[in-house]
C-alpha cells in the first residue's frame, strides 16, 4: 500500500518542526492536517513538491513548505520531494528544462561557457533565462500533474487490491 511505503521514507514531523528555516511559519506547523497521510494529501504533496523541484532558485524547501501550508497538503512529503532536484541531478534537470524551453519558443540552444563574474551572470540571464524559466514551468507543471494523478491512481489501485484480497479470505 502506498501509505506504508510513503510513511517509511517520510521524516518525523517533530524533526521538521525543529528545522530553523521553517520557524518563519510559526504555529501553523502544528496544524494536524499538514501531517496526516491520506490519498488527497499525498497526491497534493506530490503535485506541490514536484512543481517546486523545478523552480531554479535556492530555498526550494521553504517554498515547498509554504505551498504545502497554503494548499493544506502533507508537509513532510512535499518538502522531501523537492530533493529530486539535488546537487547531483540539478544540472541534468535544468538542462532538460532549458532544452524544452528552447523547443517551445523556437530558439536555438546557446553554447555555454562559465565565468565567475557579475557581467557573465547578467548576460546569461538575458540569453538563457527565458527558455530556462519557461522550460522549468512546463516541466514542473507536467510532472506535478502526472504525480498528482499517478498517486491518486496508485492509491486507488492499492485500496481496490486490498479489498479483493480481503474478499478472498
Amino acid at each position: 500500500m502506498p501509505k506504508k511505503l510513503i510513511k517509511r521514507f517520510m521524516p518525523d514531523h517533530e524533526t521538521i518542526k525543529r528545522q530553523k528555516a521553517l520557524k518563519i511559519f510559526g504555529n501553523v506547523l502544528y496544524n494536524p492536517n499538514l501531517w496526516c497521510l491520506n490519498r488527497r494529501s499525498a497526491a497534493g504533496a506530490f503535485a506541490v513538491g514536484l512543481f517546486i523541484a523545478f523552480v531554479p532558485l535556492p530555498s526550494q524547501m521553504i517554498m515547498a513548505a509554504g505551498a504545502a501550508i497554503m494548499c493544506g497538503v502533507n508537509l513532510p512529503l512535499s518538502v522531501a520531494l523537492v530533493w529530486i532536484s539535488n546537487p547531483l541531478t540539478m544540472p541534468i534537470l535544468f538542462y532538460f528544462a532549458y532544452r524544452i524551453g528552447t523547443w517551445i519558443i523556437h530558439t536555438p540552444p546557446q553554447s555555454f561557457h562559465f565565468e565567475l563574474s557579475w557581467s557573465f551572470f547578467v548576460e546569461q540571464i538575458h540569453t538563457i533565462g527565458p527558455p530556462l524559466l519557461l522550460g522549468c514551468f512546463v516541466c514542473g507543471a507536467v510532472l506535478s500533474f502526472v504525480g498528482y494523478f499517478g498517486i491518486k491512481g496508485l492509491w486507488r489501485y492499492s485500496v481496490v487490491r486490498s479489498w479483493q484480497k480481503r474478499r478472498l479470505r
Side-chain angles (χ1 to χ4, degrees):
M1 189 153 147
K3 185 174 185 175
K4 291 178 186 174
L5 179 69
I6 291 171
K7 276 197 169 199
R8 188 177 332 156
F9 293 109
M10 200 166 61
D12 183 45
H13 69 275
E14 291 299 325
T15 305
I16 292 180
K17 284 180 185 177
R18 286 192 304 265
Q19 294 292 322
K20 289 181 183 180
L22 297 177
K23 296 289 184 192
I24 62 171
F25 297 115
N27 292 334
V28 175
L29 292 178
Y30 297 108
N31 181 357
N33 293 329
L34 298 175
W35 307 104
C36 72
L37 187 62
N38 54 36
R39 183 173 61 181
R40 183 196 154 283
S41 69
F46 263 77
V48 166
L50 293 175
F51 184 79
I52 299 294
F54 275 92
V55 174
L57 294 173
S59 71
Q60 291 174 330
M61 290 176 62
I62 295 172
M63 288 186 280
I69 289 169
M70 286 190 297
C71 296
V73 298
N74 190 282
L75 178 69
L77 191 56
S78 63
V79 170
L81 281 166
V82 167
W83 280 94
I84 287 174
S85 65
N86 59 56
L88 295 176
T89 62
M90 198 175 288
I92 297 164
L93 293 176
F94 289 150
Y95 180 72
F96 178 73
Y98 169 72
R99 292 301 297 247
I100 294 290
T102 59
W103 178 72
I104 290 172
I105 60 176
H106 304 293
T107 60
Q110 303 289 324
S111 62
F112 184 77
H113 66 285
F114 183 74
E115 289 178 25
L116 191 58
S117 69
W118 182 253
S119 61
F120 168 77
F121 179 72
V122 171
E123 178 185 321
Q124 292 301 318
I125 288 296
H126 291 297
T127 58
I128 67 169
L132 174 67
L133 294 176
L134 177 63
C136 286
F137 176 77
V138 168
C139 289
V142 167
L143 204 57
S144 79
F145 181 82
V146 168
Y148 180 82
F149 288 107
I151 289 298
K152 275 202 173 267
L154 181 64
W155 202 288
R156 176 158 173 72
Y157 171 76
S158 71
V159 168
V160 168
R161 188 172 164 171
S162 69
W163 285 347
Q164 289 171 346
K165 285 182 180 178
R166 196 175 310 152
R167 195 178 316 146
L168 292 175
R169 284 192 259 171

